[in-house]
Amino acid sequence: MNAPAKQQEFATSVPAGVFAETVTEVQHYTDHLFRFRMTRPESFRFRSGEFAMIGLVVDGKPIYRAYSVASPAWDEELEFFSIKVADGPLTSHLQKIKPGDTVLMRKKPTGTLVLDALTPGKRLYMFSTGTGIAPFASLIRDPETYEKFDEVILTHTCREVAELQYGFDLIEGIRNHEFLSEIVGDKLRHYATVTREDYPFRGRITDLISSGKMFDDLGLPPFDPAVDRGMICGSAAMLKDTKALLETAGLTEGANSKPGEFVIERAFVD
Ligand code: A2P
């Protein structure tokens, strides 16, 4: 029996606590990156920035990995942005999905990259590398982000220019969106940098912060704990290094139970 048939079979006897949803759209960006959209169960509620456990049935058994929901809470579908790993237990299969296929999702979303985990401020920095942009794709499309902050700066760093495309499409989608474009206005800035190819903005975000170049490029003052807030999503090393820079600037880490000046979350999938 082939995999989709198995998924179908599984979908007819989905265990409690799991949704079986239908893929509506798949877009491949590079050999390593793709996004997909799927139906959203009416009862699935989440806060922008949270993640859910996404899965597929492989060899008769469900395999799940954490995925940030990339779509905003108001969207009637769900969007996810994923890497493709040739021998990845989930992504080696997930990268082959097509519209009409079934994807599993555990019912309870969670996560710390939520507006509630931040104390009030004026300027919100979202620092991302690779697929770490996903939770911010949700948050920058959520009107509440612009009710709470005067300025929102999304930084996205990848190895190669082609890997930035999801972010560029995202920003263009906001600019062309009838209502969202009015809400967002000129509050949103996108700062995209590349580390292993020629590009006008080059370097790791940590180096660009340390050298002051990010502030110069954006025409902004250095971090100020009184007004600046941060959210970080990337690899473990990127989180550690970016967090250290924010702490040096006097910002303290927050959580759902105790809001603070910045929050962090690993971009999960391997
Ligand atoms: P670099 O090319 O210099 O390693 P990865 O795919 O390895 O997660 O990397 C995604 C992006 O994050 C790359 O541009 C990479 O830069 C950058 N990066 C990797 N480690 C760190 C770190 N510790 N701090 C900041 N950026 C990092």
Side-chain angles (χ1 to χ4, degrees):
M1 206 186 287
N2 61 21
K6 269 191 182 152
Q7 280 169 43
Q8 218 55 51
E9 179 188 278
F10 187 83
T12 56
S13 57
V14 178
V18 178
F19 295 114
E21 297 305 308
T22 306
V23 176
T24 57
E25 194 185 330
V26 183
Q27 183 179 0
H28 294 269
Y29 291 92
T30 68
D31 289 348
H32 302 287
L33 291 172
F34 74 111
R35 88 180 163 101
F36 65 95
R37 290 176 70 83
M38 66 184 203
T39 52
R40 173 178 175 177
E42 257 181 45
S43 61
F44 183 72
R45 295 273 170 273
F46 67 100
R47 293 182 294 173
S48 296
E50 285 187 317
F51 65 86
M53 300 304 290
I54 291 291
L56 279 182
V57 178
V58 178
D59 294 332
K61 280 198 208 126
I63 298 182
Y64 293 95
R65 290 290 182 272
Y67 271 86
S68 292
V69 182
S71 47
W74 52 260
D75 197 329
E76 62 185 25
E77 290 188 340
L78 295 171
E79 180 175 307
F80 300 93
F81 184 44
S82 179
I83 52 165
K84 310 178 199 176
V85 181
D87 56 358
L90 179 63
T91 65
S92 61
H93 301 279
L94 195 63
Q95 64 179 286
K96 294 179 191 147
I97 55 168
K98 301 223 157 20
D101 287 351
T102 301
V103 168
L104 305 176
M105 181 175 69
R106 291 219 180 108
K107 289 189 176 169
K108 225 182 130 21
T110 185
T112 51
L113 298 180
V114 290
L115 295 169
D116 294 345
L118 292 174
T119 51
K122 291 201 169 118
R123 194 179 293 128
L124 175 57
Y125 284 96
M126 299 170 172
F127 301 105
S128 68
T129 53
T131 55
I133 193 175
F136 305 138
S138 177
L139 281 157
I140 63 169
R141 291 185 276 185
D142 185 337
E144 195 188 342
T145 303
Y146 305 93
E147 282 163 24
K148 292 199 161 167
F149 291 94
D150 298 337
E151 266 181 280
V152 177
I153 296 112
L154 168 66
T155 85
H156 189 207
T157 303
C158 293
R159 295 178 181 199
E160 294 165 14
V161 179
E163 295 168 333
L164 297 173
Q165 195 57 46
Y166 178 78
F168 290 131
D169 293 350
L170 184 64
I171 301 294
E172 199 187 317
I174 292 172
R175 304 270 178 245
N176 293 332
H177 192 279
E178 196 180 355
F179 304 114
L180 207 49
S181 59
E182 269 182 39
I183 291 164
V184 174
D186 56 8
K187 286 181 164 185
L188 175 64
R189 314 270 303 270
H190 181 208
Y191 186 65
T193 82
V194 154
T195 49
R196 301 197 190 186
E197 252 183 12
D198 255 358
Y199 191 64
F201 298 95
R202 266 202 83 147
R204 290 185 172 193
I205 196 64
T206 41
D207 293 337
L208 294 162
I209 293 169
S210 305
S211 68
K213 187 164 187 319
M214 180 192 79
F215 301 105
D216 289 346
D217 286 341
L218 293 167
L220 291 173
F223 294 135
D224 174 356
V227 293
D228 289 327
R229 299 292 171 263
M231 289 179 156
I232 318 171
C233 191
S235 63
M238 179 272 193
L239 294 185
K240 181 169 160 280
D241 294 351
T242 313
K243 172 183 149 110
L245 289 168
L246 293 185
E247 284 176 342
T248 301
L251 282 76
T252 50
E253 187 176 351
N256 274 294
S257 54
K258 189 175 177 291
E261 284 140 10
F262 74 92
V263 281
I264 67 174
E265 201 142 80
R266 193 160 138 64
F268 294 91
V269 176
D270 50 14

